[in-house]
Amino acid sequence: MNIFTRMAASVQARYIIPYQQSHFSRTKYGKQLALYKRKFAGKRCFLIGNGPSLRAEDLTRLHEAGEITFAFNRIYNIFDQTPWRPNFYISQDEKMLAGCADAVCGLKADAKFIPIQLKWWNDIAIDDAKYFNIVGQQVDDPQQFLFSDDIPRCVYNSSTGMYTAAQIAAYMGFAEIYMIGVDHHFRVSQNNQGEIVVDPSVKDYFTDKYNEDKDKLYIPNTERSTLTYVAMKRHCDSRRIQVYNATRGGKLEVFPRVNFDTLFR
């Protein structure tokens, strides 16, 4: 890197990026996100988790019913079993995305939502991404978790992509959100004291291929993500958005349970 390249990078980091982050809704990225405001008002959507309970035949059913779906991270590992493809894709985990950026670039979806920070600071660029400005929040009380009603300005970070998806879905105007494949239980996890908890009877994901590089990935904190789901329910309730857990089994009991099979009758 020559001196001029270093100077340009310094100006970018010190002045241009902070300005864009503070005025994100005015950038080309924010203007792209604004096009989704209430685009699906009153409709329902499905958030597809990657837990071991996820079934390819359930995804095929969603495909045949024409349901609108959000999916995450390495969901493409199930594509060879179903014609279903997500309408919207989200990934905000830089360690995971760094290991599968090429696959995500080749993924076909109506929109791929990625934090702009991964492009700015991690050099992870995704083809055709709809970049959003992700803002951290270091709080432990679900009453204090922030929830964005203006995703062209920012989306608030948490310990799970489901919280990000809920903010995007709310902005889009969805009135009902159903979650499947959200088992909320991992073979290896950690608690809020940083202690590692191992349950050898549990599978992490719907396929063992999902996290073959698990030694490089974050260990999930289910205590923290439970608080995130409590906050998600509170914010959605206050906006009259109904959230249901249609997962087959699992450990997430924050949201009312519904039987997936009854949703298409």
Side-chain angles (χ1 to χ4, degrees), residues 73-74 76-77 95-96 99-100 204-218:
N73 295 329
R74 294 177 176 171
Y76 54 80
N77 280 308
K95 289 189 176 183
M96 181 167 288
C100 63
D204 284 332
Y205 300 102
F206 59 82
T207 175
D208 292 337
K209 294 190 302 181
Y210 189 92
N211 61 342
E212 290 175 329
D213 58 346
K214 58 186 174 184
D215 57 312
K216 301 178 182 178
L217 305 178
Y218 292 112

Side-chain angles (χ1 to χ4, degrees), residues 122-138:
N122 300 91
D123 198 28
I124 299 174
I126 300 300
D127 294 346
D128 303 320
K130 305 297 183 187
Y131 289 108
F132 62 88
N133 176 30
I134 195 164
V135 175
Q137 48 181 336
Q138 299 298 320

Side-chain angles (χ1 to χ4, degrees), residues 10-252:
S10 177
V11 169
Q12 179 87 352
R14 293 179 62 187
Y15 301 107
I16 298 176
I17 288 177
Y19 180 85
Q20 287 185 332
Q21 190 167 7
S22 298
H23 303 83
F24 200 76
S25 61
R26 300 181 190 176
T27 67
K28 64 180 180 180
Y29 310 115
K31 291 176 181 178
Q32 287 177 336
L33 296 173
L35 298 176
Y36 290 96
K37 185 171 184 178
R38 295 197 58 78
K39 187 173 181 179
F40 301 95
K43 295 184 180 295
R44 73 179 185 179
C45 67
F46 287 76
L47 309 186
I48 313 300
N50 295 313
S53 67
L54 185 65
R55 298 182 182 181
E57 53 266 36
D58 289 344
L59 297 176
T60 299
R61 199 169 193 181
L62 292 172
H63 168 74
E64 292 172 345
E67 300 287 350
I68 301 169
T69 58
F70 291 74
F72 307 83
N73 295 329
R74 294 177 176 171
I75 185 63
Y76 54 80
N77 280 308
I78 207 169
F79 285 178
D80 62 344
Q81 303 174 49
T82 174
W84 167 86
R85 297 294 183 269
N87 300 89
F88 304 111
Y89 173 86
I90 299 174
S91 184
Q92 61 188 42
D93 184 331
E94 71 274 15
K95 289 189 176 183
M96 181 167 288
L97 197 55
C100 63
D102 289 345
V104 174
C105 284
L107 189 152
K108 302 299 182 184
D110 294 343
K112 291 177 274 191
F113 295 104
I114 308 291
I116 189 64
Q117 284 78 5
L118 299 192
K119 181 179 181 181
W120 284 342
W121 307 120
N122 300 91
D123 198 28
I124 299 174
I126 300 300
D127 294 346
D128 303 320
K130 305 297 183 187
Y131 289 108
F132 62 88
N133 176 30
I134 195 164
V135 175
Q137 48 181 336
Q138 299 298 320
V139 293
D140 295 320
D141 182 355
Q143 297 294 322
Q144 297 179 5
F145 276 57
L146 299 174
F147 188 98
S148 178
D149 289 310
D150 186 13
I151 66 168
R153 183 177 67 84
C154 76
V155 172
Y156 291 105
N157 192 20
S158 72
S159 59
T160 171
M162 292 288 168
Y163 196 77
T164 295
Q167 293 170 80
I168 295 173
Y171 185 79
M172 290 178 167
F174 287 104
E176 292 182 338
I177 297 174
Y178 294 85
M179 300 162 53
I180 68 170
V182 186
D183 292 69
H184 195 50
H185 194 196
F186 298 90
R187 182 180 183 277
V188 179
S189 61
Q190 62 178 317
N191 58 28
N192 282 340
Q193 287 70 50
E195 299 167 333
I196 302 301
V197 180
V198 179
D199 185 345
S201 67
V202 176
K203 283 183 62 176
D204 284 332
Y205 300 102
F206 59 82
T207 175
D208 292 337
K209 294 190 302 181
Y210 189 92
N211 61 342
E212 290 175 329
D213 58 346
K214 58 186 174 184
D215 57 312
K216 301 178 182 178
L217 305 178
Y218 292 112
I219 298 175
N221 182 332
T222 50
E223 289 187 6
R224 172 73 179 178
S225 55
T226 297
L227 297 178
T228 299
Y229 286 124
V230 171
M232 175 177 159
K233 184 179 188 303
R234 181 175 70 84
H235 281 292
C236 287
D237 285 349
S238 70
R239 291 159 176 79
R240 297 184 179 180
I241 301 170
Q242 301 299 313
V243 184
Y244 301 98
N245 185 2
T247 298
R248 298 186 185 278
K251 298 289 186 178
L252 181 59

